[in-house]
């Protein structure tokens, strides 16, 4: 009874405007440090590899270890929330994430930083779904769109600003500050969450260890296949074939086990019987391709081809972040008036236009000419993300919100990993095919070759041939980049029939009790 009274008192405390502001600030700060950490480290990898005596191939495990750990723990959000209570679990997650961030900053070897990144992933896995569930439950239905827009700003803008912040910290101070920056923000989030986040009643619940093992098999196998497939030449390597077998067996065993275990499974598969939630998770996965695929390609364009410095590359990518920020400030006010589906369609159309404009870049492209397509992509993603999150949870029972938020984040994370892999393969294979085609036109005895070399006083041999080979490789990389941009265009088109499956709520109003019971 005392626990119930405490929960009710906490909920009341979080219901007034002032307390809700600090609650929002607490969960936003927790969201930002977790999401920011997925991208801020990327630009620092070459510096980390040099200081920790690791190859660029080895240092990629700094990213992979975090993703794998977070992906495995994320579906446990519902279970751990029930066993510990929402506020206690949030505080444990924040404290553990901050401590692991500090340890990453003082790491002296590759093994240490991979271990500490695993810890970061374990503690940070539930920060995003927990914060989403808290925002959904702390705002009334008619303000839920605004709440998710505020929350979405952190989720969407943080990874876009990550390369800019990471580049600046790495160039002006040290790569270790990409981790230290989490400490003050995390402490602020911890203090506010301890005071203002309402708790939930602790529930007795068994842990589905077999389900966790099967899910870990699926996620681990999938992540290894996606991360190592290109380097290992995909299924020509035995390790890739085995990882594919592990992921298929793991997924089959997990689904079978969850259906047989029913309510005692790792998470309740009945949430996928809700048409809105099921369709929204698939759209969210497809959106991961367009978001993170673009974030992978744009640094390649600016740094590798146009030769921008790291910090300037981050600045050149900022219009996308501003587009997301602007759209989320607008869409939160519109979703309650127009409903979710029209806004999602508008977002897809806007993002599609921006992605299509990216397929026309060239060597004469500069940062100014990229403002419009990047801005359109940012606006489009913002208009998709917020109403999609709102409609995904609109008809789910409130008792499933924390569990469903973890699954929703997991599928979006898997979609992002698959998207990054698809875009990377398209870029690499496109550049390889273009290189093979362009080589046929490079003949030392052709008059055009000598005309190109004459102004530099070079002959079609030695240094001259090396220069031509370099330019041919650059041209091939640009053609591969354009091919990969078309993949992002297709990802937006794929979303359209999926959005048709969503069941709108009239005018964005809360669903009827009958709808909630379906």
């Amino acid at each position: 009874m005392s626990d119930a009274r405490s929960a009710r008192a906490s909920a009341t405390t979080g219901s007034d405007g002032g307390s809700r502001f600090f609650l929002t600030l607490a969960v936003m700060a927790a969201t930002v440090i977790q999401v920011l950490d997925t991208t801020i480290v990327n630009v620092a990898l070459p510096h980390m590899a040099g200081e920790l005596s690791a190859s660029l191939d080895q240092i990629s495990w700094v990213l992979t270890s975090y993703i794998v750990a977070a992906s495995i723990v994320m579906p446990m959000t519902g279970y751990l929330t029930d066993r510990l209570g929402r506020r206690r679990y949030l505080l444990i997650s924040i404290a553990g994430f901050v401590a692991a961030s500090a340890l990453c900053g003082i790491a002296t070897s590759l093994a240490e930083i991979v271990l500490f990144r695993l810890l970061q992933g374990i503690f940070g896995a539930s920060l995003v779904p927990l914060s989403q569930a808290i925002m959904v439950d702390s705002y009334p239905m008619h303000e839920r769109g605004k709440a998710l827009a505020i929350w979405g700003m952190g989720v969407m803008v943080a990874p876009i600003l990550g390369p800019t912040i990471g580049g600046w910290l790495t160039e002006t101070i040290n790569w270790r500050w990409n981790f230290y920056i989490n400490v003050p923000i995390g402490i602020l989030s911890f203090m506010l969450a301890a005071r203002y986040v309402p708790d939930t009643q602790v529930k007795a619940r068994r842990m589905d260890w077999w389900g966790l093992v099967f899910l870990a098999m699926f996620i681990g196998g999938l992540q290894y296949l996606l991360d190592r497939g290109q380097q290992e030449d995909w299924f020509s390597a035995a390790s890739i074939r085995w990882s594919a077998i592990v992921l298929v067996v793991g997924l089959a065993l997990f689904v079978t086990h969850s259906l047989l275990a029913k309510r005692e499974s790792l998470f309740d598969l009945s949430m996928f019987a809700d048409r809105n939630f099921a369709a929204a998770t698939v759209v969210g996965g497809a959106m991961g391709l367009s978001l993170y695929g673009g974030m992978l390609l744009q640094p390649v364009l600016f740094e590798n081809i146009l030769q921008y410095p790291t910090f300037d590359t981050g600045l050149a990518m900022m219009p996308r972040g501003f587009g997301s920020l602007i759209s989320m400030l607008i869409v939160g006010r519109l979703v309650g008036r127009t409903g979710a589906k029209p806004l999602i369609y508008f977002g897809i159309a806007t993002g599609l236009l921006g992605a299509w404009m990216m397929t026309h870049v060239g060597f004469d492209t500069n940062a100014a000419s990229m403002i419009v397509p990047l801005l359109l992509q940012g606006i489009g993603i913002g208009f998709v993300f917020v109403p999609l999150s709102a409609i995904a949870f609109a008809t789910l029972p409130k008792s499933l919100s924390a569990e469903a938020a973890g699954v929703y984040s997991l599928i979006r994370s898997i979609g992002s990993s698959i998207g990054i892999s698809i875009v990377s393969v398209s870029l690499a294979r496109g550049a390889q095919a273009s290189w093979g085609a362009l080589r046929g036109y490079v003949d030392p005895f052709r008059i055009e070759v000598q005309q190109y070399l004459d102004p530099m006083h070079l002959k079609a041999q030695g240094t001259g041939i090396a220069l031509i080979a370099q330019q041919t490789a650059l041209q091939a990389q640009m053609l591969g980049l354009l091919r990969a941009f078309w993949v992002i265009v297709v990802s937006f088109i794929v979303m359209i029939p999926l959005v048709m499956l969503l069941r709108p709520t009239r005018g964005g109003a809360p669903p009827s009790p009958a709808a909630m019971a379906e």
Side-chain angles (χ1 to χ4, degrees), residues 57 60-61 64 220-244 247 417-418 420-422 424-426 428-429 432:
D57 188 46
S60 67
W61 284 100
T64 304
L222 177 65
Q223 197 63 52
Y224 185 88
L225 183 147
L226 295 174
D227 284 348
R228 304 295 303 170
Q230 183 63 31
Q231 290 90 338
E232 301 287 344
D233 197 22
W234 297 102
F235 292 99
S236 63
S239 60
I240 299 300
R241 292 195 295 270
W242 276 109
S243 67
L247 78 89
S417 296
I418 294 173
I420 290 172
S421 178
I422 292 172
S424 299
V425 171
S426 179
R429 295 290 172 90
Q432 187 178 24

Side-chain angles (χ1 to χ4, degrees), residues 426-460:
S426 179
L427 174 62
R429 295 290 172 90
Q432 187 178 24
S434 299
W435 166 259
L438 291 174
R439 281 181 61 190
Y441 294 97
V442 180
D443 184 345
F445 300 103
R446 291 186 61 159
I447 185 77
E448 295 86 354
V449 172
Q450 194 55 55
Q451 287 174 344
Y452 174 77
L453 294 173
D454 281 343
M456 294 173 280
H457 306 290
L458 295 173
K459 297 294 183 182

Side-chain angles (χ1 to χ4, degrees), residues 96-146:
F97 187 83
V98 170
S101 298
L103 289 172
C104 287
I106 62 174
T108 58
S109 67
L110 178 65
E112 285 183 6
I113 198 165
V114 169
L115 173 62
F116 298 148
R117 285 284 283 176
L118 280 168
L119 292 176
Q120 258 195 323
I122 290 170
F123 286 106
S126 297
L127 287 178
V128 169
L130 270 178
S131 64
Q132 185 176 20
I134 291 168
M135 292 291 283
V136 167
D137 291 346
S138 300
Y139 282 75
M141 181 66 76
H142 67 278
E143 293 185 3
R144 192 165 290 180
K146 180 177 73 174

Side-chain angles (χ1 to χ4, degrees), residues 1 5 84 89 101 130 136 142 182 192 194 219 226 335 458 470-471 495:
M1 290 294 292
R5 284 195 298 270
L84 300 173
Y89 182 39
S101 298
L130 270 178
V136 167
H142 67 278
N182 294 330
L192 291 175
I219 293 173
L226 295 174
V335 69
L458 295 173
Q470 182 184 26
Q471 291 300 312
M495 294 182 200

Side-chain angles (χ1 to χ4, degrees), residues 353-365:
L353 177 60
W356 176 78
M357 293 176 69
M358 294 291 289
T359 64
H360 293 76
V361 298
F363 289 100
D364 57 345
T365 299

Side-chain angles (χ1 to χ4, degrees), residues 18-34 87 90-91 94 127 130-132 134-135 139 150-151 185-198:
S19 296
R20 192 181 294 158
F21 169 79
F22 288 111
L23 177 147
T24 302
L25 184 61
V27 298
M28 280 289 294
T31 300
V32 166
I33 58 174
Q34 196 277 341
R87 179 171 57 195
L90 178 65
L91 294 177
I94 295 171
L127 287 178
L130 270 178
S131 64
Q132 185 176 20
I134 291 168
M135 292 291 283
Y139 282 75
I150 296 170
W151 176 81
I185 302 174
I187 291 173
L188 172 65
S189 176
F190 184 92
M191 294 172 64
L192 291 175
R195 174 68 179 85
Y196 294 103
V197 171

Side-chain angles (χ1 to χ4, degrees), residues 165-440:
I165 298 171
W168 181 79
L169 289 172
T170 302
E171 288 187 3
T172 58
I173 310 177
N174 188 280
W175 63 264
R176 297 179 184 276
W177 279 90
N178 287 292
F179 299 106
Y180 290 147
I181 193 175
N182 294 330
V183 175
I185 302 174
I187 291 173
L188 172 65
S189 176
F190 184 92
M191 294 172 64
L192 291 175
R195 174 68 179 85
Y196 294 103
V197 171
D199 207 352
T200 55
Q201 191 171 359
V202 175
K203 302 176 185 177
R205 182 172 170 180
R206 291 179 58 190
M207 178 59 195
D208 181 15
W209 292 110
W210 279 114
L212 181 62
V213 169
F214 297 147
L215 184 65
M217 288 172 59
F218 166 65
I219 293 173
L222 177 65
Q223 197 63 52
Y224 185 88
L225 183 147
L226 295 174
D227 284 348
R228 304 295 303 170
Q230 183 63 31
Q231 290 90 338
E232 301 287 344
D233 197 22
W234 297 102
F235 292 99
S236 63
S239 60
I240 299 300
R241 292 195 295 270
W242 276 109
S243 67
I245 293 171
V246 168
L247 78 89
V248 171
V249 171
L251 179 61
L253 289 175
F254 176 76
V255 173
T256 303
H257 170 77
S258 297
L259 291 174
L260 293 175
K262 296 183 180 178
R263 300 297 298 184
E264 295 182 359
S265 61
L266 188 61
F267 53 80
D268 190 353
L269 290 182
S270 67
M271 66 180 71
F272 290 103
D274 184 286
R275 191 173 76 184
N276 278 350
F277 181 78
T281 52
V282 179
V283 176
M287 188 182 66
L289 190 155
S290 60
L291 174 62
Y292 287 94
M295 289 172 56
L296 173 72
L297 296 178
Q298 285 147 19
V300 173
L301 172 65
F302 287 118
E303 287 190 65
N304 295 8
I305 296 179
L306 302 181
Q307 299 297 306
Y308 280 34
T310 303
F311 180 59
D312 291 350
T313 295
L315 290 176
M317 293 173 62
M318 284 187 70
R320 187 168 176 169
F322 284 123
S324 295
L325 182 62
I326 292 168
S327 63
M328 288 182 184
L329 290 173
I330 297 172
V331 73
R333 299 177 181 275
L334 294 178
V335 69
R337 300 176 184 176
T338 65
K341 288 183 73 172
L343 298 176
I344 295 173
Y345 282 128
F346 174 79
I348 291 174
T350 307
L352 178 61
L353 177 60
W356 176 78
M357 293 176 69
M358 294 291 289
T359 64
H360 293 76
V361 298
F363 289 100
D364 57 345
T365 299
N366 54 39
S369 63
M370 293 290 288
I371 291 175
V372 173
L374 288 177
L375 195 65
L376 288 174
Q377 285 187 63
I379 291 172
I381 289 170
F383 266 89
V384 172
F385 183 83
V386 174
L388 187 67
S389 298
I391 203 170
F393 297 91
T395 51
L396 272 179
K398 200 170 184 177
S399 60
L400 289 175
S401 60
E403 198 166 45
V407 175
Y408 186 75
S409 296
L410 171 66
I411 294 176
R412 192 173 65 243
S413 176
I414 291 174
S416 301
S417 296
I418 294 173
I420 290 172
S421 178
I422 292 172
V423 169
S424 299
V425 171
S426 179
L427 174 62
R429 295 290 172 90
Q432 187 178 24
S434 299
W435 166 259
L438 291 174
R439 281 181 61 190

